[in-house]
């Protein structure tokens, strides 16, 4: 990647979080704040999901993050036109002064997460400031880059984690005791609150604390790669030097780590099982989804394991042939990487057993919701591959070694809702 104009990237620096004038919905101009929010773009993968969000309110953020049109260029132009119209009509308006934003999520139970939203200086992985842990798909990066170029905006924050428990956390906690800018509950039961921090002393405390921290990308690898691409396209200094993020201190608020499942288009379960015969142990489970996932979790304690579905039943694959793994798993990776379920799935099962190209949306879909993955596979006559989540410490350790995991290996959460605060690069 061309990094001309960014020679400062070689200097050792920590996280640099900058205040910005957030774009927010005017609650008097929309049906409700809840009705204009959306999950992140890569969670809303089904057309019916997009249609549902569009129907919730004509100004739902999904019209910006996932515009619906016949061609890529038309989609990006449509999003840019929509954003300009909403700004002209006052649907979205910039806050009067720059600030950082405290964001809180609750699930109605014992889950509470708080973090800080701001414009973070974009840095290369070699700097060791923001650590990626997954590979990305170039077509997705190209799609997100085209959308950001057209809108000249960061439409939704990435989710980054760090471990600090310092003065930044103290400012977050104190801010959360004040009346919020917004307070809404979305249809998934999550309760969202947002505050702005504009006091110079509080801003300085947060920035000073974060200047010594290192962050892990929890969710948003493609958008971070997009930030890097767009920064390289614009001589510094420019607004593209920063990108919108949510930073969560996991010393205070540990994230949940879930798996991302695969849907293999055009591969019936009977064919998938026939191909692995003699290469994996296969057990057919006559059990509901919850019990099948428990069996997967138990099997994962002993080694690589996968749960196949799509024919009305569940099939547990475990105990892979050691010779098969030795032939198919790259030998130049750390042992922790070689033992990942995602590594075995992609290098062994997809590449060598099922001969499925992983980089084609026509062959592989990545779905977060377990039940939805199974239902889609059963409807299409395809194969669902259900995964067991990776532990966060494994993810962080590999990231610190500079080793990226196979794409879509993890799903950290809860993810920030899109539509609560946006960043326009020229406001």
């Amino acid at each position: 990647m061309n990094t001309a104009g960014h020679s400062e990237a070689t200097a050792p620096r920590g996280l640099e979080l900058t205040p910005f004038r957030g774009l927010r919905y005017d609650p008097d101009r929309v049906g409700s704040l809840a009705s204009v929010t959306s999950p992140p773009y890569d969670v809303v993968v089904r057309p019916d999901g997009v249609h549902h969000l569009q129907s919730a309110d004509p100004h739902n953020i999904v019209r910006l993050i996932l515009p619906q049109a016949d061609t890529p260029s038309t989609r990006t132009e449509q999003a840019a036109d929509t954003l300009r119209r909403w700004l002209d009509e006052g649907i979205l308006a910039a806050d009067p002064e720059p600030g950082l934003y405290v964001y809180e999520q609750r699930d109605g139970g014992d889950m509470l997460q708080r973090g800080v939203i701001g414009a973070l200086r974009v840095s290369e992985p070699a700097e060791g400031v923001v650590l990626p842990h997954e590979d990305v798909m170039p077509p997705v990066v190209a799609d997100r880059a085209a959308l950001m170029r057209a809108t000249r905006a960061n439409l939704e924050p990435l989710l980054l984690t760090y471990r600090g428990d310092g003065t930044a956390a103290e400012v977050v906690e104190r801010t959360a005791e004040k009346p919020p800018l917004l307070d809404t509950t979305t249809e998934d039961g999550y309760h969202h609150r947002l505050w702005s921090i504009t006091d110079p002393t509080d801003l300085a405390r947060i920035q000073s604390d974060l200047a010594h921290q290192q962050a892990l990308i929890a969710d948003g690898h493609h958008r971070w790669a997009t930030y890097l691409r767009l920064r390289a396209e614009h001589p510094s200094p420019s607004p593209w030097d920063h990108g919108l993020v949510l930073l969560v201190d996991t010393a205070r608020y540990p994230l949940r780590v879930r798996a991302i499942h695969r849907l293999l288009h055009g591969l019936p379960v009977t064919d998938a099982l026939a191909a692995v015969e003699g290469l994996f142990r296969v057990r057919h489970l006559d059990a509901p989804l919850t019990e099948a996932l428990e069996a997967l979790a138990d099997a994962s304690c002993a080694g690589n394991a996968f749960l196949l579905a799509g024919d009305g039943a569940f099939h547990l694959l475990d105990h892979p042939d050691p010779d098969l793994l030795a032939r198919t798993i790259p030998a130049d990776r750390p042992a922790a990487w070689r033992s990942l379920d995602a590594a075995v799935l992609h290098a062994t099962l997809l590449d060598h057993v099922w001969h499925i190209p992983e980089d084609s949306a026509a062959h592989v879909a990545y779905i977060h919701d377990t039940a939805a993955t199974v239902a889609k596979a059963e409807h299409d006559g395809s194969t669902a591959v259900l995964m067991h989540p990776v532990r966060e410490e494994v993810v962080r350790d590999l990231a610190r070694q500079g080793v990226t995991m196979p794409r879509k290996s993890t799903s950290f959460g809860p993810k920030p809702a899109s539509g609560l605060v946006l960043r326009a690069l020229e406001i």
Side-chain angles (χ1 to χ4, degrees):
M1 178 179 292
N2 177 20
T3 55
H6 301 285
S7 60
E8 77 281 5
T10 58
R13 300 155 80 171
L15 299 170
E16 297 180 21
L17 197 65
T18 301
F20 68 104
R21 292 179 63 199
L23 288 184
R24 295 189 297 110
Y25 282 98
D26 181 343
D28 294 330
R29 304 296 301 276
V30 297
S32 71
L33 291 176
S35 68
V36 295
T37 65
S38 165
Y41 82 97
D42 56 339
V43 178
V44 188
V45 295
R46 296 181 302 176
D48 57 333
V50 174
H51 176 73
H52 172 73
L53 291 166
Q54 289 178 333
S55 301
D57 191 286
H59 303 106
N60 189 282
I61 191 67
V62 78
R63 296 180 184 272
L64 299 182
I65 63 174
L66 283 175
Q68 301 297 294
D70 293 335
T71 66
S73 61
T74 306
R75 286 195 293 271
T76 57
E77 292 170 5
Q78 178 177 295
D81 291 343
T82 300
L83 178 57
R84 283 192 293 268
R85 186 173 70 254
W86 289 357
L87 289 171
D88 291 342
E89 295 174 355
I91 304 300
L92 287 168
D95 283 331
E97 57 182 316
L100 299 176
Y101 296 83
V102 171
Y103 175 49
E104 175 189 281
Q105 292 168 278
R106 294 178 182 267
D107 69 352
D110 59 359
M111 193 288 297
L112 169 64
Q113 178 174 289
R114 289 178 181 145
V116 181
I117 296 176
L120 184 69
R121 182 183 70 88
V122 178
S123 58
E124 298 285 347
E127 294 183 57
V129 176
V130 175
L131 303 176
H133 69 267
E134 288 184 357
D135 293 332
V136 298
M137 293 174 276
V140 178
V141 176
D143 175 75
R144 291 294 101 185
L147 183 64
M148 288 189 203
R149 287 192 202 98
T151 59
R152 300 192 64 80
N154 301 149
L155 301 173
E156 47 186 348
L158 285 65
L159 175 60
L160 307 185
T161 73
Y162 73 102
R163 297 187 64 81
D165 204 15
T167 54
E170 293 171 3
V171 174
V172 167
E173 299 305 307
R174 189 171 66 253
T175 301
E177 296 174 356
K178 302 175 182 178
L181 290 175
L182 64 83
D183 186 331
T184 190
T185 301
T186 47
E187 66 176 7
D188 58 6
Y190 277 84
H191 188 193
H192 308 265
R193 295 200 294 172
L194 190 76
W195 297 259
S196 65
I197 301 174
T198 57
D199 178 76
T201 301
D202 283 342
L203 292 173
R205 285 173 177 159
I206 291 175
Q207 292 171 317
S208 176
D209 189 9
L210 294 178
H212 307 286
Q213 301 295 339
Q214 176 187 66
L216 174 74
I217 300 177
D219 184 68
H221 283 82
H222 290 90
R223 282 166 285 168
W224 185 257
T226 300
Y227 290 168
L228 286 167
R229 174 180 293 191
L230 294 174
R231 186 191 72 156
E233 294 175 0
H234 298 82
S236 184
S238 84
W240 300 99
D241 290 343
H242 295 78
L244 189 63
V245 305
L246 165 64
L247 278 165
V248 173
D249 184 349
T250 54
R252 292 275 181 115
Y253 301 105
L255 270 67
R256 299 171 178 175
V257 186
R258 293 188 171 95
I260 301 177
H261 309 299
R262 275 64 169 165
L263 178 66
L264 309 182
H265 300 299
L267 179 67
V269 175
T270 52
D271 292 352
L273 293 173
V276 300
E277 185 175 355
L279 302 176
F280 283 73
R281 182 176 70 171
V282 180
R283 285 178 283 167
H284 305 282
L285 306 180
D286 183 16
L289 177 58
T290 53
E291 292 182 16
L293 291 173
E294 290 173 0
L296 174 63
D298 291 341
S300 295
C301 294
N304 301 117
F306 309 93
L307 196 62
L308 304 192
D311 61 350
F314 296 101
H315 312 274
L316 183 63
L317 274 58
D318 63 358
H319 291 201
D321 177 11
D323 291 338
L324 173 68
L325 298 185
R327 293 196 310 271
T328 57
I329 303 295
D332 60 347
R333 302 297 181 91
W337 187 95
R338 291 168 54 82
S339 64
L340 291 170
D341 288 340
V344 173
L345 172 63
H346 286 254
T348 302
L349 285 169
L350 292 183
D351 286 355
H352 291 274
V353 177
W354 293 327
H355 306 292
I356 294 176
E358 62 173 306
D359 58 353
S360 171
H363 294 89
V364 183
Y366 299 86
I367 305 179
H368 295 73
D369 184 271
T370 308
T373 310
V374 175
K376 181 67 172 171
E378 292 179 348
H379 179 271
D380 295 348
S382 300
T383 295
V385 182
L386 306 184
M387 311 282 286
H388 187 66
V390 183
R391 291 178 293 113
E392 181 179 359
E393 53 266 36
V394 173
V395 177
R396 194 175 294 274
D397 181 60
L398 286 171
R400 284 176 173 157
Q401 296 178 54
V403 178
T404 54
M405 300 167 65
R407 61 196 61 171
K408 300 293 183 181
S409 293
T410 61
S411 176
F412 283 83
K415 305 177 190 303
S418 299
L420 297 180
V421 61
L422 293 66
R423 174 180 176 248
L425 272 68
E426 296 169 342
I427 293 180

